[in-house]
């Protein structure tokens, strides 16, 4: 089965504090993992993908196959980071599944 | 450039009425197409996806069906809507080449009354 779990529905941190949004996955094959973000009144859009090993807007995510995790991290949160974040997994046959989402709120 | 159109943006339908939501993609060929339902606390639930014309994979048994009559057209339907079909429906597409992102439509807010 192909499954993504985001254990936190809500996460609130203060500006300047570190942020970590958790994501765990279940997939028997080699996964392709993504983080998507939805800002207020905007379409859902890609934030980053594990294959690129990139840092976007200060966010990074490392694939840990041993722990089947793909947590999203940022060392210093900014107010504009407030949004809904979804972890996603693309498995076989182009099936793309998402987690339940985490609403991140950055307090001033 | 590629674009995705989804309509209508909002829809209010009575219980028992039929449903047809349409999604079209421009600027690409042979896209992978997806229908999701977005609900608070449940995230993005994959309903259907398609890798080609006439090829539909159903993920959740329910009161909905999907069809792909043309390469870049994906339709979500129901013969008789239930109250529980209310929600926010999103269409998305992705390329079949390499590992590229999925692009989402603006969504349709469906309210069944």
């Amino acid at each position: 089965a192909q499954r993504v779990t985001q254990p936190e529905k809500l996460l609130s941190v203060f500006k300047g504090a570190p942020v970590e949004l958790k994501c765990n996955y279940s997939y028997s094959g080699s996964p392709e993992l993504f983080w998507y973000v939805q800002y207020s009144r905007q379409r859902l859009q890609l934030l980053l993908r594990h294959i690129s090993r990139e840092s976007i807007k200060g966010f990074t995510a490392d694939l840990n196959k041993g722990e089947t995790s793909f947590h999203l991290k940022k060392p210093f949160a900014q107010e504009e980071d407030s949004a809904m974040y979804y972890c996603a997994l693309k498995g076989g046959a182009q099936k793309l599944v998402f987690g339940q989402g985490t609403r991140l709120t950055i307090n001033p | 450039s590629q674009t995705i159109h989804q309509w209508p943006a909002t829809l209010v339908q009575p219980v028992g009425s039929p449903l047809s939501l349409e999604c079209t993609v421009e600027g690409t060929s042979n896209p992978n197409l997806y229908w999701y339902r977005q609900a608070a606390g449940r995230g993005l639930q994959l309903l259907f996806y398609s890798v080609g014309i006439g090829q539909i994979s159903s993920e959740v048994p329910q009161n909905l069906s999907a069809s792909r009559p043309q390469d870049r057209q994906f339709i979500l339907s129901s013969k008789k809507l239930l109250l529980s079909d209310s929600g926010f429906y999103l269409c998305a597409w992705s390329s079949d080449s390499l590992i590229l992102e999925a692009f989402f439509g603006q969504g349709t807010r469906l309210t069944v009354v």
Side-chain angles (χ1 to χ4, degrees):
Chain A
Q2 190 174 324
R3 183 172 293 178
V4 176
T5 302
Q6 292 177 250
E8 305 143 325
K9 291 184 180 179
L10 302 170
L11 184 63
S12 182
V13 302
F14 286 102
K15 177 182 174 182
V19 173
E20 183 179 44
L21 286 78
K22 291 184 169 50
C23 172
N24 289 90
Y25 67 90
S26 174
Y27 183 57
S28 57
S30 183
E32 300 171 12
L33 287 153
F34 309 82
W35 275 98
Y36 283 78
V37 60
Q38 189 170 29
Y39 300 104
S40 179
R41 297 188 181 85
Q42 294 187 27
R43 297 189 186 193
L44 193 62
Q45 59 186 288
L46 179 71
L47 180 62
L48 55 79
R49 69 200 84 181
H50 92 269
I51 197 71
S52 301
R53 302 184 67 82
E54 57 203 342
S55 174
I56 303 294
K57 298 184 179 181
F59 284 99
T60 59
D62 291 320
L63 175 61
N64 186 322
K65 291 188 176 181
E67 296 182 358
T68 60
S69 68
F70 188 56
H71 303 327
L72 183 67
K73 300 177 183 179
K74 184 169 183 175
F76 307 104
Q78 299 171 292
E79 289 187 63
E80 54 264 34
D81 296 329
S82 293
M84 192 75 178
Y85 291 81
Y86 290 95
C87 183
L89 183 155
K90 181 178 277 191
Q94 302 300 317
K95 181 178 173 180
L96 179 62
V97 297
F98 287 77
Q100 300 92 324
T102 299
R103 181 165 298 283
L104 176 65
T105 302
I106 308 301
N107 300 306
Chain B
S1 62
Q2 304 91 352
T3 56
I4 178 169
H5 301 282
Q6 185 182 342
W7 68 92
T10 59
L11 189 61
V12 180
Q13 291 283 97
V15 170
S17 65
L19 172 73
S20 181
L21 301 181
E22 190 163 343
C23 174
T24 59
V25 181
E26 296 177 357
T28 188
S29 59
N30 196 34
N32 302 310
L33 296 171
Y34 306 86
W35 277 111
Y36 294 90
R37 180 160 53 202
Q38 189 177 31
R42 299 188 64 183
L44 275 170
Q45 183 184 32
L46 178 62
L47 302 176
F48 303 94
Y49 68 102
S50 171
V51 298
I53 296 175
Q55 300 178 59
I56 309 295
S57 296
S58 176
E59 289 299 299
V60 184
Q62 54 194 327
N63 188 40
L64 300 169
S65 62
S67 61
R68 185 171 178 173
Q70 300 180 45
D71 182 44
R72 290 169 289 177
Q73 184 184 29
F74 205 26
I75 298 173
L76 184 68
S77 304
S78 174
K79 292 183 179 178
K80 290 185 179 181
L81 282 169
L82 305 172
L83 287 174
S84 58
D85 292 324
S86 294
F88 191 66
Y89 291 85
L90 282 167
C91 180
W93 76 272
S94 72
S95 171
D96 200 26
S97 61
L98 298 177
I99 308 168
L100 295 183
E101 64 190 278
F103 297 90
F104 284 81
Q106 66 176 8
T108 296
R109 172 72 61 192
L110 171 66
T111 304
V112 182
V113 296

